[in-house]
């Protein structure tokens, strides 16, 4: 049974978006450890593989190599041990079908990445404050 931590699993294949997200979280005084998976396969391994540690929150991009983000979300929701894990889609996709499919698969929130850094940093600050400070997560078994 994987242990649970107060970390964030950031699933992001774009190194610039990865750095922006981590920078925005730090600038907002979010001190939770951020673990990064750079493709869907790494994300699934981080959640289900040997030595897996359950994060407090998953920030999931949709357009990923190896295993797409929607498939990662589907696998998270079909497993009893991760079904209630908070997952926020953080993506540049503005396709309505991605929004609809994400919610049908059980995403907790869908956020389009703002284009400029100031807006992105503010969106990330609010996201961090809500999901990591205000929100009461269910216990994960």
């Amino acid at each position: 049974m994987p242990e649970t931590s107060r970390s964030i699993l950031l699933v992001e294949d774009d190194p610039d978006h990865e750095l922006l997200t981590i920078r925005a979280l730090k600038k907002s005084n979010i001190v939770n450890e951020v673990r990064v998976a750079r493709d869907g396969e790494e994300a699934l391994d981080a959640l289900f593989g040997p030595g897996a540690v359950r994060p407090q929150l998953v920030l999931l991009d949709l357009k990923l190599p190896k295993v797409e983000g929607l498939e990662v979300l589907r696998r998270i929701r079909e497993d009893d041990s991760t079904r209630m894990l908070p997952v926020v889609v953080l993506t540049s996709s503005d396709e309505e079908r991605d929004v609809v499919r994400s919610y049908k698969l059980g995403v907790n929130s869908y956020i389009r990445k703002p284009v400029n850094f100031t807006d992105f940093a503010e969106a990330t600050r609010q996201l961090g404050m809500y999901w990591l400070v205000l929100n009461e997560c269910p216990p994960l078994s």
Side-chain angles (χ1 to χ4, degrees):
M1 171 89 47
E3 66 177 274
T4 301
S5 78
R6 296 188 57 81
S7 66
I8 300 165
L9 177 60
L10 173 62
V11 186
E12 175 59 70
D13 64 314
D14 183 317
D16 292 331
H17 289 179
E18 173 190 333
L19 290 173
L20 284 174
T21 303
I22 292 170
R23 181 176 165 208
L25 288 167
K26 285 182 180 176
K27 188 173 178 169
S28 301
N29 296 317
I30 303 295
V31 296
N32 301 58
E33 175 191 6
V34 178
R35 294 181 304 124
V36 178
R38 292 179 178 88
D39 60 52
E41 190 175 278
E42 282 185 24
L44 293 171
D45 191 53
L47 292 167
F48 302 110
V53 177
R54 295 280 187 267
Q56 182 178 354
L57 175 67
V58 176
L59 300 178
L60 179 63
D61 191 14
L62 293 184
K63 309 298 183 201
L64 298 169
K66 297 187 181 178
V67 179
E68 70 168 9
L70 289 170
E71 177 61 17
V72 172
L73 177 59
R74 185 188 68 74
R75 292 190 196 176
I76 290 170
R77 291 300 182 241
E78 76 180 8
D79 189 282
D80 286 339
S81 68
T82 55
R83 183 168 288 130
M84 293 190 291
L85 178 65
V87 178
V88 174
V89 166
L90 184 60
T91 186
S92 53
S93 173
D94 61 358
E95 296 179 33
E96 185 176 316
R97 71 173 185 231
D98 286 340
V99 177
V100 171
R101 287 179 65 204
S102 295
Y103 277 107
K104 282 185 177 180
L105 288 170
V107 76
N108 297 93
S109 184
Y110 188 103
I111 299 172
R112 286 189 185 97
K113 296 175 188 171
V115 176
N116 75 54
F117 178 73
T118 303
D119 292 345
F120 184 82
E122 179 58 18
T124 303
R125 183 192 71 76
Q126 290 179 21
L127 182 151
M129 287 300 294
Y130 177 78
W131 287 105
L132 300 169
V133 177
L134 300 173
N135 185 60
E136 183 74 27
C137 294
L140 298 174
S141 52

